Amino acid sequence: MQAMIGPLSAGLSMVLSLFKEIPKEIWAAAVAAGIALLVAVSTNKNARRIIEAQLRDAAQLEESKRQMQLRRDVYLPAVKAFGQIAWTITNQLDVNVTDAAIREANRTAMADIVGIQVVAGSSMLAAVAELNRAAGELNMELTVMRARLMAIKSQVDASVLVETRETQTGTGLVELMRHHNLNGGTPEQWARIQTQWDLHQRALAGFVVKRREEQNALQRLNFEMMDLYKAKMPAVMALQAAAAVELRRELDLPTDEKEFLRLAKEAREAAGAALERATSALQAMASESAVNAK
């Protein structure tokens, strides 16, 4: 052991002697270089951290922009779809709007709203689901009633056509009577014309009664549909406004929820009052027509 320690001690003594012989200036330069190296290494690490953080922030910002653009692409058609839902429900009451037009508007609205499920948050999904539920229920009820309404309307149109043809027959008989009176004719000819006239009068009276009964049935069903609309549409419109508020939140648009909902409520009330006045006017016209018919 002592044999090994001896050479080792001699080596260390030689190294220490060499270190002692190194000038102070060289030591100072070496220390300065070491410090500079440590500073450079530390600076590089910090720079890498900053760059990595900036890259992460840039990636997150880019992803946020992408998601926002996706939301805009989905939500802007959805805004239109909210209006189409109201249009579809309202026009169920109008016999002059075709079933095909209503189906197409409803199909388009549903297609635009389905896209929301891909990008919307939970609050938006809940608001849209509630709107779809209420609107779907009312739309289905009105669709069933509209089917009956359109069937009765077809009967009325057919009765009007038959009544028009019978009226034309009566006009022809009047011409025959006038011709007979002006140019003369046999008693047998007059009797035949008179028989045809009596048959025409009875047939026309029956057609008129049938047409009026059908028109009354059409009016009653139309008023029932309007009553259903007045009872349930305000709730649909309120849910429509709530969904619009959630949509604005999702798009980071400034939204005064209370003010927005207040304005939406005023619009609903104004629409309800207008519909009430229109219903009253139609009922008054129907009552007047019934009195005149008697």
Side-chain angles (χ1 to χ4, degrees):
M1 180 67 69
Q2 291 179 353
M4 293 178 63
I5 291 175
L8 183 57
S9 297
L12 289 173
S13 297
M14 185 179 296
V15 171
L16 290 173
S17 297
L18 290 173
F19 280 150
K20 288 178 180 180
E21 292 177 1
I22 296 174
K24 293 180 179 180
E25 292 77 5
I26 296 177
W27 276 115
V31 170
I35 293 173
L37 178 62
L38 291 174
V39 171
V41 171
S42 177
T43 302
N44 288 338
K45 287 183 178 179
N46 289 335
R48 283 198 300 271
R49 292 194 189 99
I50 292 172
I51 292 173
E52 290 173 355
Q54 289 176 340
L55 291 174
R56 284 195 301 271
D57 290 344
Q60 290 175 355
L61 180 61
E62 189 64 28
E63 177 63 18
S64 178
K65 289 181 178 179
R66 188 189 69 80
Q67 291 182 1
M68 183 58 67
Q69 185 59 45
L70 179 60
R71 286 181 175 180
R72 290 181 185 274
D73 292 342
V74 171
Y75 286 164
L76 293 182
V79 173
K80 178 182 176 182
F82 291 161
Q84 282 184 315
I85 289 175
W87 184 93
T88 300
I89 294 174
T90 301
N91 280 280
Q92 294 276 19
L93 281 66
D94 190 347
V95 295
N96 296 314
V97 178
T98 65
D99 292 339
I102 292 175
R103 285 195 301 271
E104 179 60 20
N106 190 58
R107 184 196 65 78
T108 302
M110 291 300 101
D112 289 336
I113 288 177
V114 165
I116 291 177
Q117 300 178 9
V118 179
V119 295
S122 58
S123 297
M124 184 66 191
L125 287 174
V128 172
E130 193 63 20
L131 172 61
N132 282 342
R133 179 197 61 76
E137 288 180 359
L138 178 54
N139 203 28
M140 182 57 67
E141 290 183 77
L142 289 174
T143 297
V144 173
M145 297 177 77
R146 179 182 170 86
R148 291 164 48 204
L149 188 76
M150 298 305 287
I152 296 174
K153 181 179 181 298
S154 296
Q155 294 173 355
V156 171
D157 292 342
S159 294
V160 168
L161 182 60
V162 171
E163 187 178 332
T164 299
R165 289 175 177 173
E166 190 61 37
T167 301
Q168 292 172 347
T169 299
T171 301
L173 290 173
V174 170
E175 288 297 322
L176 286 176
M177 291 179 183
R178 183 180 294 110
H179 183 272
H180 186 279
N181 291 332
L182 291 175
N183 301 316
T186 65
E188 291 79 8
Q189 290 175 332
W190 178 257
R192 286 197 297 272
I193 294 174
Q194 193 62 47
T195 299
Q196 290 177 344
W197 177 257
D198 292 340
L199 292 173
H200 155 71
Q201 288 292 92
R202 286 196 294 270
L204 182 60
F207 293 147
V208 169
V209 169
K210 182 175 180 293
R211 188 254 305 163
R212 287 175 178 170
E213 289 176 349
E214 291 167 348
Q215 286 179 328
N216 290 336
L218 187 70
Q219 288 179 342
R220 286 194 300 271
L221 183 54
N222 209 318
F223 287 137
E224 288 178 17
M225 293 176 70
M226 294 178 73
D227 289 341
L228 178 63
Y229 180 89
K230 288 187 293 184
K232 294 191 174 183
M233 191 59 186
V236 174
M237 295 175 70
L239 292 171
Q240 184 181 24
V245 169
E246 291 299 332
L247 186 147
R248 291 180 63 86
R249 286 201 187 104
E250 292 270 335
L251 293 176
D252 292 332
L253 297 174
T255 302
D256 185 338
E257 181 177 353
K258 290 184 178 179
E259 181 65 11
F260 185 89
L261 294 179
R262 183 187 68 80
L263 293 174
K265 181 180 179 182
E266 288 181 357
R268 290 196 304 274
E269 291 174 348
L275 181 61
E276 190 66 41
R277 290 193 297 270
T279 302
S280 298
L282 289 174
Q283 289 174 337
M285 290 173 60
S287 298
E288 183 178 351
S289 297
V291 171
N292 292 337
K294 293 179 179 179

